[in-house]
Amino acid sequence: MKRRYSFPVHLAGAAVARTGDEMAGPALVLAGFALTGSAADASLLLAGVTVSSVLGGPVLGSLLDRAERPGRLLAAALALYAAGLTAVLVGLGRLPFALTLAAAVLTGLLGPALSGGWTAQLPAVVRDDRLDRANALDAMTFGAAGLAGPALAGGTAEALGAPTAVVLSAALVALALPAAWALPARTDPTQKSPARGGRPRPVPSGPAPSGPAPSGPVSSGPVPPGSAPSVPVPPVVPAPSGPVVGPAAGLVVGLAVDLAAGLRAVVRSPALARATLTSVVSCTAQGMLTACLALLGERVLGGAGRGAMLLSCAAVSALAANAVLARFPRAIAPDTLLWTGALLQAAAPAAAVLGHPTVLVAAAFVAGIGEGPQLTALFAVRHREAPERLRSQIFTTGAGLKITGFALGAVVAGPVAARSLTGALLLATGTAVLAALAFFAVPAPGGRAAPA
């Protein structure tokens, strides 16, 4: 039941797990460099633990949608993610690097569990009339994790060594296991209350009559006067008498069907398609800007390490912006926040081109004001548009695409920044502008205005 599971427990679990995840990337880079002596190998570890999310997200989401107790599966994913981080650390300097990199890639498959996997469970935790505010608070955990994770990684590495930072990140992920395990069991979607602003859908008992109502009884009871007619449904088909597919093969076939259904749900829903496209391209721009931070810190702020402080500035402003949205959750339509957030993110690297310290710090704050509300809006659109039976898959698939987009953005911008920092910053600016244009490239949902 929704009221038996405390939303603060859910929020705390998400915050702890996401802090461990945000800490894991910097910690792996620091540990990789400390134990192998190669900056290239260290960056490969970061790429490995992020780029595979695009493959793991859809499968993990489909399994969560199928699970009667999705919290148990989510807890297992968190445990395996923590174990994977530990395995990467154990392999560094002891095993061939190719094996360690493979462990990082396999661990990255579970990354979407810490982002989309948690958020997809919100409708089972809070009432529909509180989902907007809960959604904004959930998005704030990303900002808090983005602020605390890198700081914890750097501080722990300085005080206790880089390997300890990896151990702490794995411990934080594992600390969220009880909150995930206790998540409510899935309920019958036909018994759930309708989405906000929607209408209850009657449970059909058979094909709708084309003429006067039949005089005989129907299994679902009489239809009240003035109510909507029943929706036609196909007749029940008896089970085939041929050989039955084994459980393992049946699961594979079922997953393939679910994955195809999830892809169709995103492509056929203009609101989901434009939100997914805009967020992925925006995340690619974020990866490009992140790849420039070390050089920006060195050339503008007086030290490469100070470039990482810009991430904290962005996280602070993202938290503040989402706090305002949590207080006024319906002040601006989520669809509007998606493209305006992209434009604000475009302004940050454009201002950084000027090379002035004060302007650079201000640009980081502007980037956070764009990133935080855009994430909240993305979650709101997914909760509003995703079919119940595909909700987890749509969330985790989107998370995997965003993480991979970030990784690809960093990979592309890195070599460009080495040749021309200005060129890389302009590339990030153009990509963020492209994200805003991508929103309008997808036709708006026909016959329905965007909700306020």
Side-chain angles (χ1 to χ4, degrees), residues 57-67 254-256 258-259 392-393 396:
V59 176
L60 180 62
S62 180
L63 290 172
L64 285 170
D65 285 328
R66 285 171 159 264
L255 284 176
D258 286 349
L259 293 178
S392 295
Q393 184 189 154
T396 55

Side-chain angles (χ1 to χ4, degrees), residues 333-368:
D335 306 79
T336 301
L337 287 172
L338 283 169
W339 65 267
T340 54
L343 289 180
L344 285 172
Q345 292 173 63
V353 171
L354 298 176
H356 191 280
T358 303
V359 174
L360 181 58
V361 173
F365 280 108
V366 170

Side-chain angles (χ1 to χ4, degrees), residues 12-22 78 81 114 118 145 169 172-176:
V16 170
R18 288 163 179 167
T19 299
D21 185 36
E22 290 289 342
L78 296 178
Y81 189 82
L114 285 79
W118 276 101
S169 67
L172 287 174
V173 173
L175 190 61

Side-chain angles (χ1 to χ4, degrees), residues 202-396:
V203 180
S205 60
S210 57
S215 57
V218 291
S219 60
S220 60
V223 179
S227 63
S230 299
V231 179
V233 295
V236 177
V237 179
S241 58
V244 179
V245 180
L251 177 61
V252 172
V253 172
L255 284 176
V257 171
D258 286 349
L259 293 178
L263 180 61
R264 287 196 302 269
V266 173
V267 172
R268 292 178 179 177
S269 167
L272 280 176
R274 71 200 314 189
T276 301
L277 181 60
T278 302
S279 64
V280 171
V281 180
S282 292
C283 219
T284 304
Q286 294 167 20
M288 292 176 174
L289 180 57
T290 302
C292 300
L293 291 182
L295 284 175
L296 281 171
E298 182 180 66
R299 298 182 185 180
V300 181
L301 302 177
R306 297 179 182 179
M309 296 173 60
L310 297 173
L311 292 176
S312 297
C313 295
V316 167
S317 60
L319 271 173
N322 275 337
V324 174
L325 280 182
R327 180 66 179 86
F328 306 101
R330 300 184 183 181
I332 305 176
D335 306 79
T336 301
L337 287 172
L338 283 169
W339 65 267
T340 54
L343 289 180
L344 285 172
Q345 292 173 63
V353 171
L354 298 176
H356 191 280
T358 303
V359 174
L360 181 58
V361 173
F365 280 108
V366 170
I369 294 173
E371 291 174 16
Q374 187 188 58
L375 183 63
T376 301
L378 175 64
F379 290 167
V381 171
R382 287 177 182 166
H383 281 307
R384 188 186 74 206
E385 302 290 339
E388 177 64 28
R389 67 184 184 88
L390 300 171
R391 184 184 302 275
S392 295
Q393 184 189 154
I394 288 174
F395 268 89
T396 55

Side-chain angles (χ1 to χ4, degrees), residues 154-242:
T156 304
E158 287 289 332
L160 302 173
T164 306
V166 178
V167 173
L168 180 57
S169 67
L172 287 174
V173 173
L175 190 61
L177 287 175
W181 185 270
L183 278 165
R186 189 177 304 283
T187 56
D188 184 357
T190 62
Q191 302 301 319
K192 294 187 70 175
S193 60
R196 302 174 317 284
R199 297 175 56 190
R201 296 182 179 180
V203 180
S205 60
S210 57
S215 57
V218 291
S219 60
S220 60
V223 179
S227 63
S230 299
V231 179
V233 295
V236 177
V237 179
S241 58

